[in-house]
Amino acid sequence: NFGGSVVLTGGIDFCSKPCSLSSGSSSVNAPPSLQEKCNDCNANSRLVITFREVDHVYLKETGLASYASYDEYGSAVVRTSAVRSFRSSAYLSRADMSQVKANSCWKE
């Protein structure tokens, strides 16, 4: 049975400048204001979003992106099951949408 609609907006902050991948040696002797900062986060993090038995799903300007050029890590996976329509105007980078299946799909 289908039921309802979902609109997802907003953004995800993925792992940026993880300490686990930081060498830390390049700015050790620099003044504090010039020392490179790192974050205690998991560089292999993955957000998985699954929509099941929903009439309509809309990813409205949803940010599911991480960019290597900004030293960001992490990824997203979007899955659907028994969805009638799927619409996306999302910002995607390192996002796996291959498991999105619906009776009709739109990408803006």
Side-chain angles (χ1 to χ4, degrees):
N1 291 342
F2 291 105
S5 298
V6 174
V7 177
L8 185 63
T9 63
I12 303 301
D13 289 331
F14 285 100
C15 183
S16 177
K17 298 183 180 177
C19 294
S20 62
L21 299 178
S22 174
S23 65
S25 60
S26 62
S27 61
V28 170
N29 295 323
S33 62
L34 295 177
Q35 290 180 4
E36 246 180 76
K37 307 278 188 286
C38 66
N39 295 300
D40 184 19
C41 58
N42 185 340
N44 296 314
S45 60
R46 177 179 298 181
L47 172 68
V48 178
I49 303 171
T50 304
F51 299 100
R52 290 189 182 114
E53 298 180 5
V54 178
D55 283 325
H56 310 285
V57 174
Y58 182 20
L59 301 185
K60 183 179 181 183
E61 299 176 3
T62 308
L64 299 176
S66 65
Y67 301 98
S69 58
Y70 293 109
D71 204 15
E72 295 175 340
Y73 296 83
S75 62
V77 176
V78 179
R79 301 175 179 152
T80 61
S81 174
V83 169
R84 289 191 180 167
S85 71
F86 185 90
R87 178 179 170 193
S88 173
S89 62
Y91 306 104
L92 306 171
S93 174
R94 296 184 186 163
D96 178 2
M97 303 289 282
S98 66
Q99 298 176 56
V100 171
K101 309 224 181 335
N103 294 349
S104 57
C105 293
W106 292 274
K107 183 175 182 185
E108 298 175 8

